Amino acid sequence: MGSITLFKKMVFAGGLALSGAAWAATPSAVMLANTCAACHGTGGSSMAQIPSLAGAPAEYFVDTMKAFKSGERKATVMDRVAKGYSDEEIALMGDYFAQQKLTPMKQGFDKAKASQGQRLHDKFCEKCHEDGGRKPDQGGVLAGQSMTYLTFTMADFLDGQRTMDKDMKKKVDEMLKSHDKSSVDALIHFYGSQQ
């Protein structure tokens, strides 16, 4: 009887020890990515005005999250959200989203603007955002993103709320010198047209 009670106590103590170890372990990439799904969609494909993360290069995701975390990049919510994750967790999420295939957002667009935007993309953007913006090089995927998100993002870049890297600034400046600001809208319709 005494040995059975001792055995039960040992099993219980072992269970508690394992339970504690399980809680201390880093969650899996899928578990971490699922915490983003409410805003960024399942697998990182957003169906709302929030950007999709699927297909974004891991390095881009990590750099973006670290910029939110440090306050370098301004945000309404993400600066607070990013502080809840360790560097290891952010790296796991970056690898996970980089491996996901983006499901383009279904949205209305202007065909004439999209056609003009395609020509502008080919001339000014294709080098860094290959395959019509489907294949990111240094940034996120543009094709199939929410047009509302792209509109606000470009406004932030043009107003100086976000900093363009040197290559992007050069190309945007070139485009705006030879075309008016409606060229930005045309680009957004082109990216939104890819569904």
Side-chain angles (χ1 to χ4, degrees), residues 45-124:
S45 287
S46 175
M47 292 296 124
Q49 311 310 320
I50 307 294
S52 291
L53 304 174
E59 185 178 348
Y60 172 77
F61 179 88
V62 169
D63 288 348
T64 301
M65 287 291 282
K66 286 184 176 179
F68 282 135
K69 198 173 179 178
S70 70
E72 176 187 336
R73 183 166 165 182
K74 305 291 180 219
T76 53
V77 175
M78 280 308 300
D79 51 344
R80 287 173 269 166
V81 171
K83 289 176 183 168
Y85 297 101
S86 69
D87 289 350
E88 181 185 6
E89 291 168 337
I90 289 171
L92 284 170
M93 288 189 284
D95 288 340
Y96 172 82
F97 286 122
Q99 294 170 20
Q100 304 307 304
K101 184 176 179 188
L102 182 130
T103 301
M105 176 178 277
K106 301 289 182 204
Q107 55 195 329
F109 63 91
D110 183 298
K111 286 183 180 178
K113 288 182 180 179
S115 179
Q116 180 194 4
Q118 182 170 11
R119 291 190 297 275
L120 292 166
H121 170 86
D122 291 345
K123 185 171 182 178
F124 298 104

